[in-house]
Every structure is written in C-alpha cells, then in structure tokens.
Amino acid sequence: MLLCLPTSVTEAQEYLAEGAVPIGGATLVWATWQRDGFPGLAMSLRELPEANVTGRETVGAAVVLHRIGARQPDVLRLAAAAIGTGAVRRTATVGGNLVGSTLRCLLPAALVLDARATVLESDGVREVDLAEVVVKRPLLLSLRWRAPIASAYRKLPGEAGGPPPLVVASALGADESGGRRLRVAVRDGYDVLGGDTAGDTGTEEALGALRGTALGDLPTGAWDVIRPQVTGLLHGRDGHPWSDHTPGDHAPGPHGAGAHEAPSAPER
C-alpha cells in the first residue's frame, strides 16, 4: 500500500482522482484491511493545512480527537473526550469519526452546532450540510459553525458488547433573525435524530415543540436526559437566562445540562 500525504488541496484532488482511499487515524479500517486486503493507494490529510485547522468556530478533519479542547464548544469537547481510550483519541480523527465510523460519536455535537462541512470532490471544494456528509461520505476537509451561547452533552454508560450508549447533545445559539435557537440531537442505537425550536421560550413549551420533531418517538429514558439539558440551556446556571453578551460557550451546570458521564466500556 502506498500512502499519499498531500500538502495542498490541488494535490489531494489529484490523488483522489487516481483512486486513493482516504483514511483518518486508521483505528477503524486497519482490522478490515488485514482481513480483506489493503488498498493499493491510500491518502491521509495529516499534512494538509486546510484539514488541520482548529479554533473557536472550526475544526479540521485531520485533527486528532485529543486536540479538541477548551477552544471548541463544550458539546464538541465533551463528545471527543468520551470516545475510546486515550490511545484511541491520540490517533482517531474528526473526519474518520464522522465519515468512517458507523457510531458517528461526534455527529450529535456537530448537528446541534448547526455545522457546515467543507468537502473535496473530483470537481473541487464545496460546502455541504451534515446530512449529505452522512449519506454520501465525501472526503471531509473541515467543519465550521457559529459559536453557541451555551451547549451541553451527556453519554450514558454502555455495556461491553452491547448497543451504542445513548447520547444527548444540545446547544443554544443565535439565529439569523437575531433571536435564539435551541437544537437537540440524540444518538439512539445507531440512529442519530435531531430537532430544533425557538430558544426564547420556557422549558415546557420548548419540550412540547421538540416532541413535534423527529425526536418525538424517542423512549422515555432519552427525554429524562433531554429535559435537564433544555432547562439548563434556557435558564442558565442559576435560573437566569444566558446574556446575549456572554462570551464563548458555557456548559450550564455540573449535574444537569452540562453533565457528562463516561461509558463503562470504551467506545471507538
């Protein structure tokens, strides 16, 4: 197997046209290749600047999970920290998780951030929504979003060999009209569902609206996690709504909306 390490988008596009198979940290594909055979040409984006960006409102596809930290929103930071072991997080990448994994551990966090994806295709670079990334699995270069006012994340404990643990992610952000938008995404098994509603209402009104979205058929256990997150996001740490001038992203409270519970079995 020949591994290509492009240093420009043009070079990456040429390798893609030659049939190079994109790889992230290879934590998920290595065992498959050992069983089924290695591709003749593979490509990693670890030397591509556009795929290594990291900041308050962006992250590159080649960024390894342990590099996602305080600069990124809490919901994304907590999601990355809950994936696998430390060794896995030092190798696994954002792009590999979103495009190469069936678990898509980062997808709920990306959805509630209303992230847009920059992808590379044979005819050039373009920006697409996350739904297209999930369905078409293009070569992901980076994600970008608007920093939320506050965000939250929780993963319930999982059992070794059992189904993927329940994940609930949420974020409160500004919409284009100057109001607020509340977004919630849930991974239930291998399915990831999302919904959104106005972010300037009370808890019960917001929950009622969310039940009218794709989230409506979720089991009671999921709503038991969604409720405290929504309450914390809408009412802040001490029952006071988040200020429009609150800088950055804040996890609302240590035991409710911002709570994070690590799985009992490492998840890759």
Side-chain angles (χ1 to χ4, degrees):
M1 181 181 74
L2 177 64
L3 178 63
C4 306
L5 299 171
T7 57
S8 69
V9 170
T10 299
E11 191 177 4
Q13 190 173 2
E14 291 173 353
Y15 288 135
L16 200 61
E18 293 173 11
V21 177
I23 61 171
T27 55
L28 293 169
V29 299
W30 196 260
T32 301
W33 286 348
Q34 288 180 314
R35 184 189 68 229
D36 300 337
F38 288 79
L41 191 64
M43 176 172 63
S44 168
L45 301 182
R46 67 187 185 209
E47 302 296 333
L48 184 67
E50 290 84 350
N52 283 278
V53 294
T54 178
R56 184 166 172 257
E57 296 185 328
T58 187
V59 68
V63 172
V64 292
L65 301 182
H66 88 102
R67 288 183 57 201
I68 298 178
R71 297 180 68 189
Q72 278 78 38
D74 287 325
V75 65
L76 188 62
R77 174 179 60 82
L78 291 170
I83 296 172
T85 63
V88 168
R89 292 190 293 274
R90 287 189 292 272
T91 307
T93 63
V94 171
N97 185 271
L98 285 173
V99 180
S101 169
T102 57
L103 295 174
R104 297 174 294 183
C105 308
L106 297 180
L107 182 58
L111 285 172
V112 300
L113 292 173
D114 198 27
R116 298 281 295 174
T118 300
V119 302
L120 177 62
E121 298 178 328
S122 58
D123 56 350
V125 174
R126 68 188 184 98
E127 188 175 87
V128 301
D129 60 27
L130 290 173
E132 184 167 336
V133 172
V134 170
V135 173
K136 295 185 177 181
R137 296 179 178 266
L139 179 57
L140 180 66
L141 294 179
S142 64
L143 298 177
R144 69 170 183 87
W145 58 84
R146 293 180 62 184
I149 299 167
S151 64
Y153 176 87
R154 189 178 179 192
K155 175 190 282 186
L156 296 189
E159 297 180 2
L166 181 78
V167 167
V168 177
S170 55
L172 179 67
D175 61 23
E176 295 179 354
S177 65
R180 292 182 173 187
R181 203 73 189 166
L182 174 68
R183 294 182 174 86
V184 176
V186 177
R187 187 186 69 185
D188 181 29
Y190 290 95
D191 296 326
V192 179
L193 307 172
D196 64 280
T197 186
D200 51 6
T201 67
T203 297
E204 296 306 323
E205 185 176 347
L207 289 171
L210 290 171
R211 287 184 183 275
T213 69
L215 302 172
D217 292 330
L218 286 170
T220 301
W223 286 99
D224 290 342
V225 181
I226 293 172
R227 173 179 286 276
Q229 285 197 10
V230 168
T231 301
L233 290 174
L234 294 181
H235 301 292
R237 284 193 180 93
D238 303 311
H240 301 293
W242 297 101
S243 167
D244 290 331
H245 304 291
T246 302
D249 170 53
H250 301 263
H255 302 296
H260 168 250
E261 192 170 332
S264 56
E267 180 180 344
R268 293 176 180 268

